[in-house]
Amino acid sequence: DAKTTQPNSMESNEEEPVHLPCNHSTISGTDYIHWYRQLPSQGPEYVIHGLTSNVNNRMASLAIAEDRKSSTLILHRATLRDAAVYYCILRDVTPNAGGTSYGKLTFGQGTILTVHP
Amino acid sequence: DTEVTQTPKHLVMGMTNKKSLKCEQHMGHRAMYWYKQKAKKPPELMFVYSYEKLSINESVPSRFSPECPNSSLLNLHLHALQPEDSALYLCASSYYGGLHNEQFFGPGTRLTVL
């Protein structure tokens, strides 16, 4: 499985933008970049994903480097509720016996984001 | 309903007990997953079910036995567990198993093995 490297922790102030980096130098051409986050005492939740182009949704933006060896998750205005562990994941396609493919999630260590009031 | 529910929230069991964890979703998802998460570690995939059939077993010990009785339910049967099996067990589901389909996670069952 292709691996990702993230900083162990980052800090931000409320209402300021946050840029969470992820390095994935061994990414293959068909790997999608997914971001999930896990709030305290909850299961992970999907944030965003992309392949080559930058992506936006209501939660965040994903900026992908032209060579795809790194990406950045952008939270435009951090709130206290955004304090969580953020996981950058390269989604692996694993065929099953029936021939259909799976986007298996292999979580790395993630970045612990602390947001200060 | 965009929720994955898991019961019980907490479970304490001895090494000789047999217990089961339950997961339920009513989103019409056809892929369901079990993950194990040790304290301060990332989740690790255990099993994947697709259309009620076991598709991936990540070399999980046989003391963990998954079951998918129908498309909405996923069980994890536990027997003769060890203290090192104490962890948060997370269930997730997605429409299909493919690359684009986000996984929806439940809140987990916190298991303690004495």
Side-chain angles (χ1 to χ4, degrees):
Chain A
D1 293 345
K3 293 197 185 310
T4 62
T5 304
Q6 299 176 254
N8 289 334
S9 62
M10 291 185 65
E11 296 187 19
S12 173
N13 294 319
E14 206 174 5
E15 299 193 6
E16 290 184 356
V18 181
H19 290 234
L20 295 163
C22 181
N23 287 320
H24 28 78
S25 57
T26 59
I27 191 170
S28 75
T30 53
D31 281 331
Y32 279 74
I33 302 158
H34 287 248
W35 285 81
Y36 280 71
R37 71 180 185 181
Q38 188 170 18
L39 279 64
S41 304
Q42 295 189 27
E45 65 174 344
Y46 168 83
V47 178
I48 201 166
H49 79 278
L51 182 63
T52 56
S53 303
N54 294 344
V55 184
N56 300 299
N57 67 20
R58 64 175 179 80
M59 287 180 72
S61 295
L62 176 60
I64 301 172
E66 197 169 334
D67 63 6
R68 299 206 333 121
K69 292 185 185 301
S70 65
S71 61
T72 302
L73 179 71
I74 302 164
L75 307 179
H76 295 286
R77 289 183 66 195
T79 68
L80 296 178
R81 196 196 171 276
D82 291 321
V85 180
Y86 285 79
Y87 295 103
C88 170
I89 301 164
L90 298 184
R91 194 124 187 222
D92 173 38
V93 179
T94 305
N96 70 353
T100 56
S101 299
Y102 285 94
K104 192 169 85 169
L105 288 181
T106 303
F107 288 81
Q109 292 303 309
T111 296
I112 300 170
L113 175 65
T114 301
V115 180
H116 299 288
Chain B
D1 185 357
T2 58
E3 199 179 23
V4 174
T5 59
Q6 291 189 243
T7 53
K9 287 189 172 19
H10 301 274
L11 178 63
V12 179
M13 60 185 291
M15 288 189 284
T16 59
N17 293 157
K18 286 185 181 181
K19 297 285 184 184
S20 296
L21 309 184
K22 180 180 170 182
C23 172
E24 198 163 0
Q25 58 85 16
H26 296 287
M27 295 180 276
H29 292 174
R30 303 312 298 269
M32 296 187 77
Y33 312 76
W34 280 116
Y35 289 83
K36 173 181 177 179
Q37 185 173 26
K38 301 281 279 183
K40 299 195 185 305
K41 296 290 186 183
E44 295 178 342
L45 182 67
M46 301 174 71
F47 302 103
V48 180
Y49 271 83
S50 173
Y51 292 88
E52 295 110 71
K53 288 188 169 29
L54 183 64
S55 295
I56 297 177
N57 177 340
E58 291 286 281
S59 303
V60 178
S62 60
R63 57 185 184 269
F64 296 91
S65 175
E67 179 198 18
C68 191
N70 60 57
S71 60
S72 299
L73 272 177
L74 185 66
N75 297 320
L76 186 63
H77 303 297
L78 314 172
H79 173 56
L81 294 193
Q82 304 297 310
E84 57 265 29
D85 296 320
S86 298
L88 181 69
Y89 288 84
L90 293 159
C91 174
S93 68
S94 65
Y95 279 106
Y96 305 102
L99 282 172
H100 294 281
N101 295 296
E102 63 180 281
Q103 292 185 19
F104 290 77
F105 284 81
T109 293
R110 189 160 299 281
L111 174 69
T112 302
V113 182
L114 301 175

